[in-house]
Amino acid sequence: MAKNVRDGLTDQLLEALLSLKNTEECYAFLEDVCTISELKALSQRLEVAKMLDAGEKYEDIVKKTGASTATVSRVKRCLFYGADGYAIVLKNMKNKK
């Protein structure tokens, strides 16, 4: 994570996320901590990452998810040049199935 984001408050948030035991606890926490728009945006970005990882085209991703081309482009940039967060999550999700 970028140095300007790493601090005690962010550490606390990450500890809170890691303390959640199941989907219902995650829903409850995220509903309290995020607006509906923020939660939908995060969910959309993850779907975009899954689709990019599967080799789908920008046009299809935009149509299926409603994401802007800017969002698709940003997620793609993170997939290839980011901190590998999407890659870790996508791998973990695949392994869980």
Side-chain angles (χ1 to χ4, degrees):
M1 190 170 278
K3 288 182 183 180
N4 61 344
V5 176
R6 285 183 182 259
D7 61 23
L9 292 176
T10 305
D11 288 346
Q12 180 177 268
L13 174 62
L14 298 178
E15 288 175 26
L17 290 168
L18 290 169
S19 77
L20 300 170
K21 295 175 182 68
N22 56 48
T23 304
E24 288 307 313
E25 287 185 6
C26 288
Y27 266 110
F29 180 69
L30 290 173
E31 185 176 330
D32 285 349
V33 78
C34 295
T35 65
I36 292 171
S37 296
E38 290 167 337
L39 186 53
K40 292 292 185 185
L42 292 171
S43 302
Q44 183 185 64
R45 289 180 198 149
L46 179 58
E47 183 62 16
V48 168
K50 284 175 57 180
M51 294 174 79
L52 285 168
D53 188 57
E56 295 199 37
K57 297 178 183 176
Y58 268 49
E59 305 84 42
D60 294 333
I61 294 170
V62 169
K63 283 181 190 174
K64 291 177 184 176
T65 66
S68 68
T69 55
T71 296
V72 176
S73 180
R74 183 179 188 288
V75 171
K76 184 175 183 177
R77 188 171 49 253
C78 288
L79 277 171
F80 289 99
Y81 304 109
D84 289 333
Y86 281 121
I88 292 166
V89 166
L90 293 173
K91 179 182 175 189
N92 289 347
M93 290 173 69
K94 287 177 187 174
N95 288 339
K96 195 170 184 178
K97 286 186 180 183

